[in-house]
Amino acid sequence: MKNHGARFYWAIVCSFLGLVSATSQAGYQGSVEFTPDEITAHTNDIRVITTEATACLQEFLNSHLRFYNRYGFSRYYGDNSSFGKLPYAEKREFLRTLGKDPALLSQMSPTSCIGLTLRCLGRGFKAAQQDTAWKKVFDFTKLNGVSGEALQFALRKLGWKILYWNPDSSQNSAWDLIERNNDPENKTHFRGFHADRYRQVMTRSTYYWNPIDDATTLVNFLREPPKTFKDVPFFVGTAHQGYHVFPGSYGIVTEAHSTRLLTDRQTIEQAEFNPMQNGGAPRGLYRTGMMAVPPGFGF
């Protein structure tokens, strides 16, 4: 993700000076606002949006699995993977070295965690004829480095609620220690800040630049996510200050990964939202973050 280094620096400065408020857009480039009519229309048609977005996620997963089962490699390769970084001609040659038909490249396309999320959520907005609202959401997200946190910030302006998630806050310091030991330089600033973010949420009701509406429902649930969350028809989650983005529906995450090998079956995968459970999602030792849920579902 772009801009996270600068955003991290200013988060520290503004946190120290007390500049971040529940209504602030500090730290983000530009602004995003919606008319009362856009907000009302969005709420009224939220079922159309969530149904179409969920169908989109399932279609991508099914397409990925069909292709993988037939050819033994992923149709949707990670845009930041070793294969994804190859020039077109070298991609064809790589397929040839795998004993595959290079012509299959025409059926393939790059993906990422945020890419899949934007693709399917955008399809939901389009199905509800909310193209103008979606353009505002998308443009704000793109302006801010295609950040999942910026996406959540924009959705909140349309009436979505932002939940802080942390399955076991007693582990914050232990997780920080593990992550900092594994990456002492921590150049990206994405890991090793669980305790800091927890304090910020609990004392100021903000996570980085984002206001938090609910800091209890998805906190300290251990390995039993609450039923109220499983009743939500669509959600957009982020982990570790927006480093990973994961959409889902009714408690089930469908996530894409941008760095997996071409032969990795789990480039797009699906599992229950259950970060501390073996086999649960999001995958990759993501321990805390934010969850955006649509208006009208009890939050």
Side-chain angles (χ1 to χ4, degrees), residues 155-172:
L155 291 174
R156 186 176 185 272
K157 291 295 188 79
L158 274 171
W160 291 53
K161 299 300 181 182
I162 306 300
L163 286 63
Y164 170 66
W165 65 267
N166 182 330
D168 187 358
S169 62
S170 71
Q171 299 294 317
N172 288 337

Side-chain angles (χ1 to χ4, degrees), residues 25 36 58 186 198 215 236 243 268:
Q25 293 189 172
Q58 194 62 47
N186 199 10
Y198 179 78
V236 175
Y243 180 76
I268 298 180

